[in-house]
Amino acid sequence: MNGIQTRSVVIVGGNRIPFSRVGGAYADYTAFDMLAEAMRGTVNRFGLKGKTIGDVALGTVFSHPSIWNLAREAVLASGLSPMTPAVGVERACATSLEATIWIANKIALGKIECGIAGGVDSASDVPVFLPSKLAKRIVRAAQAKTLKDRLGQIAGLGFKDIRLAFPGVTERTTGKTMGQHCELMAKEWKVTRQEQDELALASHQNGAKAQASGFYKDLMTPFAGVEKDGILRGDTSMEKLGKLKPVFDRSDKGTLTAGNSSPLTDGAACVFMASEDYARKNNLPILAYFKDYETAAIDMNTEGLLMAPAYAVGKMLQRNRLALQDFDFYEIHEAF
């Protein structure tokens, strides 16, 4: 931002609902239900009820057609003043991060004093589509002026024409799922099954220990009778993980299993951000400073699908003249 004066952006705090496996506790709830609850929890946690804040950016990967303006509807259900604007964003797995960047930039440039970013995804509430041929016939039938014309549009449809279509989980460019791409990456970089299982075991044990100690208590709003994450397996072991069969490459060369891969999950989370001046004037906590960000992309035909973060992190560190060794703690997350 050459020549542009920017301000310090701070993380005041966050709120989320517990995460649940697909088809589990939230099977009968929509993505909107979950996002609205995460928003309400954020509003209540930071005393924002009835207040107008600068902006809200929320996103989801699989947008449900029943609520096309998801972010705005979530604001209206949250307890914030209806005068609060909202925008929906989408950048695949980085959707919520992109929403956070959106709000941080507005605060840094002095356009707003505070805002909320967040996101939701429901693997249980994915939109189901009609096949193109059937959908077009139904539209034409609805537009027809006589009963004969309406019936004429439906006549001749076979069983294969009325099969429901589900959102694709493969990359259109390569025809492979994220798991299949990760198998290729693991082979290229020689990441063994043993190493993956060890990391998965540590993740489950650390997460379960944190949950048992109440670490997440001030970060979560109970939802649908659920008070803790349902995706942690604190009782797992290397022996249990070792018995699981690969799911993306079923040959003896496969390494990714249901135990060392991320589960399909339902959940929603939000973060409240502000300028440093606003936070101090309103006696709000400052958990961290939002200092910088970077995005990157790769050619999936020549390099692993999940390698983009390696480029983004490298660029950001170089720009700030830092190395990973300069940090006491850092977190890197991907689906695999």
Side-chain angles (χ1 to χ4, degrees):
M1 300 179 182
N2 295 333
I4 299 177
Q5 183 68 37
T6 59
R7 305 185 299 172
S8 293
V9 180
V10 301
I11 307 296
V12 175
N15 181 75
R16 67 177 177 87
I17 62 173
F19 297 138
S20 176
R21 285 179 178 270
V22 59
Y26 304 155
D28 295 328
Y29 294 88
T30 66
F32 168 74
D33 294 331
M34 294 187 290
L35 184 58
E37 187 63 29
M39 280 290 294
R40 279 191 289 268
T42 305
V43 168
N44 293 336
R45 193 179 298 279
F46 300 106
L48 301 174
K49 192 168 184 178
K51 293 185 178 180
T52 302
I53 63 174
D55 204 356
V56 173
L58 304 169
T60 182
V61 176
F62 291 116
S63 298
H64 205 289
S66 63
I67 302 183
W68 62 271
N69 198 0
L70 180 64
R72 174 61 177 164
E73 294 295 338
V75 165
L76 294 176
S78 70
L80 286 171
S81 164
M83 302 299 288
T84 299
V87 62
V89 298
E90 190 275 319
R91 193 194 279 273
C93 296
T95 292
S96 294
L97 294 176
E98 187 64 30
T100 304
I101 291 169
W102 180 286
I103 295 299
N105 278 344
K106 283 199 165 187
I107 295 172
L109 292 174
K111 302 298 183 182
I112 61 175
E113 289 297 331
C114 62
I116 294 174
V120 61
D121 262 309
S122 172
S124 300
D125 183 40
V126 294
V128 180
F129 304 95
L130 296 175
S132 178
K133 181 178 179 180
L134 177 59
K136 290 178 181 177
R137 290 281 193 100
I138 291 176
V139 171
R140 290 171 187 156
Q143 294 173 339
K145 296 183 178 180
T146 67
L147 178 60
K148 180 180 179 181
D149 289 340
R150 294 192 188 105
L151 294 175
Q153 290 297 330
I154 299 174
L157 289 172
F159 179 75
K160 66 178 182 179
D161 297 318
I162 60 176
R163 287 180 299 179
L164 298 177
F166 293 86
V169 294
T170 60
E171 295 289 331
R172 182 172 181 175
T173 304
T174 64
K176 294 183 175 64
T177 65
M178 292 181 69
Q180 291 170 328
H181 272 286
C182 193
E183 277 286 12
L184 296 175
M185 191 172 69
K187 290 179 176 66
E188 179 181 354
W189 291 93
K190 296 180 175 57
V191 182
T192 67
R193 166 73 180 270
Q194 174 81 11
E195 291 171 322
Q196 293 178 55
D197 284 353
E198 288 175 352
L199 181 61
L201 177 62
S203 295
H204 278 292
Q205 290 178 336
N206 290 338
K209 183 179 179 180
Q211 185 165 261
S213 68
F215 179 80
Y216 300 116
K217 276 284 187 180
D218 62 343
L219 299 174
M220 286 199 294
T221 297
F223 178 62
V226 180
E227 296 185 357
K228 62 180 183 178
D229 295 323
I231 59 175
L232 296 174
R233 294 291 179 265
D235 61 347
T236 193
S237 65
M238 287 298 291
E239 182 181 5
K240 291 180 180 179
L241 290 170
K243 292 179 180 179
L244 298 174
K245 295 181 179 180
V247 292
F248 299 106
D249 178 354
R250 298 181 184 274
S251 72
D252 58 0
K253 296 181 180 179
T255 60
L256 274 72
T257 70
N260 60 29
S261 303
S262 295
L264 291 172
T265 308
D266 299 340
C270 298
V271 61
F272 181 40
M273 309 171 72
S275 68
E276 183 176 12
D277 288 344
Y278 180 90
R280 296 195 184 283
K281 287 177 182 178
N282 289 276
N283 296 314
L284 294 171
I286 295 176
L287 300 186
Y289 288 83
F290 188 100
K291 301 296 292 186
D292 202 359
Y293 62 88
E294 183 64 63
T295 56
I298 48 89
D299 183 348
M300 292 182 292
N301 292 303
T302 60
E303 193 160 15
L305 170 68
L306 309 180
M307 289 301 294
Y311 288 93
V313 171
K315 289 179 181 178
M316 185 167 62
L317 292 175
Q318 186 177 29
R319 179 168 61 246
N320 289 277
R321 298 177 182 177
L322 294 170
L324 286 178
Q325 292 74 17
D326 293 321
F327 294 85
D328 295 320
F329 298 97
Y330 59 86
E331 178 183 354
I332 298 176
H333 170 76
E334 243 304 344
F336 292 93

